[in-house]
């Protein structure tokens, strides 16, 4: 699985848009990009996944440039409850090795009032 | 549908003892993975079971083992517990990589908090 690099921490304020960028220079052709959110003492929760261009769901957007060497998770109008650790992962979900998820340190997002 | 269920939620054991943790995956999911999370090492992959067979393995000593039953429920066992085994143990179920279509999301349980004293 490709290695990813994210900022260790970020700070924001309620109501702002937060963009977290992940670098994955060695992403393979069949790899998808997936983001998870984790609150303290809970298991990670799937946020969004994409392969290329832009993906949007009810909680976030994922922007992937044409070269796919990076991706940006965008959280619109964050609230205090978005304070969590965000992980970026890459892998081929159709591969038998996909479920060996390799989590980096993640980005610790702190949202302030 | 019901989520991933891990039992027990909390456990306190003494050094040298052994422990068994249980995970019930989401109905229909055939893959179950286990992870250890500590403040120092973060989230680390232990192993994955698919159709009762260990398919992927992380870099942990042989004291850590697991198994999966025919109904996809899984257990992990840690023998000869050490203080450093204190951690949050997470289980995830998924159908990714199983040839069952583009199901790419891993669903995690709440975890079992193991404290070794």
């Amino acid at each position: 699985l490709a290695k990813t690099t994210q900022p260790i921490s970020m700070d924001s304020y309620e109501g702002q848009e937060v963009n977290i960028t992940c670098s994955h220079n060695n992403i393979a052709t069949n790899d998808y990009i997936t983001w998870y959110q984790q609150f303290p003492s809970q298991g990670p929760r799937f946020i969004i996944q994409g392969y290329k261009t832009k993906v949007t769901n009810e909680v976030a957007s994922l922007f992937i440039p044409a070269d796919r060497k990076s991706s940006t998770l965008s959280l619109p109008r964050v609230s205090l409850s978005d304070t969590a650790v965000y992980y970026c992962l890459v892998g081929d979900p159709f591969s038998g090795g996909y479920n060996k998820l390799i989590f980096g340190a993640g980005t610790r997002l702190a949202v302030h009032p | 549908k019901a989520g991933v269920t891990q039992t027990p939620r909390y456990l306190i054991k003494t050094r040298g003892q052994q422990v068994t943790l249980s995970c019930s995956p989401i109905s229909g999911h055939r893959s179950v993975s286990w992870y250890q999370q500590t403040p120092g090492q973060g989230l680390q992959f232990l192993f994955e079971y698919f159709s009762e067979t260990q398919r992927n393995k992380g870099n942990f000593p042989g004291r850590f083992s697991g198994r999966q039953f025919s109904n996809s429920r899984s257990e992990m066992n840690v023998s000869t517990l050490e203080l450093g085994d204190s951690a949050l143990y997470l289980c995830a179920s998924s159908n990714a990589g199983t040839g069952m279509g583009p199901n790419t999301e891993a669903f995690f349980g709440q975890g079992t908090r193991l404290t070794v004293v």
Side-chain angles (χ1 to χ4, degrees):
Chain A
L1 296 172
K3 181 176 165 56
T4 61
T5 304
Q6 310 172 227
I8 292 296
S9 64
M10 294 182 69
D11 288 274
S12 184
Y13 292 90
E14 284 190 291
Q16 289 189 332
E17 178 184 75
V18 170
N19 295 308
I20 306 174
T21 297
C22 178
S23 171
H24 27 80
N25 290 318
N26 296 323
I27 190 168
T29 303
N30 295 333
D31 285 347
Y32 282 62
I33 300 151
T34 310
W35 286 79
Y36 283 85
Q37 174 194 55
Q38 186 181 28
F39 299 111
S41 297
Q42 291 188 27
R45 182 175 73 103
F46 174 92
I47 301 175
I48 197 167
Q49 183 179 77
Y51 183 80
K52 62 180 179 180
T53 63
K54 177 183 174 183
V55 179
T56 298
N57 62 22
E58 63 276 8
V59 298
S61 294
L62 179 59
F63 298 92
I64 305 168
D67 66 5
R68 305 199 327 120
K69 293 184 183 301
S70 67
S71 58
T72 299
L73 174 72
S74 181
L75 304 173
R77 298 180 298 283
V78 294
S79 65
L80 296 176
S81 63
D82 292 315
T83 294
V85 179
Y86 293 82
Y87 297 96
C88 162
L89 293 86
V90 296
D92 176 1
F94 298 94
S95 159
Y98 178 76
N99 289 318
K100 182 178 177 178
L101 299 178
I102 305 299
F103 288 84
T107 296
R108 192 171 297 274
L109 172 66
V111 180
H112 305 281
Chain B
K1 54 184 176 183
V4 177
T5 304
Q6 291 189 245
T7 56
R9 289 292 311 278
Y10 302 92
L11 207 48
I12 300 176
K13 289 287 188 178
T14 304
R15 271 182 302 175
Q17 287 187 313
Q18 74 154 16
V19 66
T20 299
L21 311 181
S22 179
C23 173
S24 293
I26 288 174
S27 178
H29 283 188
R30 296 165 62 187
S31 167
V32 175
S33 302
W34 289 89
Y35 296 81
Q36 180 197 65
Q37 186 169 31
T38 61
Q41 299 298 318
L43 261 166
Q44 292 186 287
F45 173 81
L46 278 157
F47 32 65
E48 180 215 6
Y49 285 86
F50 172 66
S51 292
E52 302 179 62
T53 301
Q54 187 180 88
R55 183 165 65 169
N56 290 292
K57 189 176 188 307
N59 190 26
F60 277 80
R63 298 185 298 107
F64 293 82
S65 63
R67 60 177 173 168
Q68 186 180 34
F69 302 95
S70 59
N71 61 358
S72 291
R73 191 177 71 84
S74 177
E75 290 181 345
M76 71 162 279
N77 184 278
V78 187
S79 63
T80 320
L81 284 165
E82 301 176 359
L83 295 179
D85 297 333
S86 295
L88 180 67
Y89 289 89
L90 292 160
C91 161
S93 80
S94 168
N95 268 336
T98 64
M100 293 181 68
N103 298 302
T104 55
E105 179 178 348
F107 293 83
F108 284 80
Q110 293 275 67
T112 294
R113 172 76 61 186
L114 172 65
T115 302
V116 183
V117 298

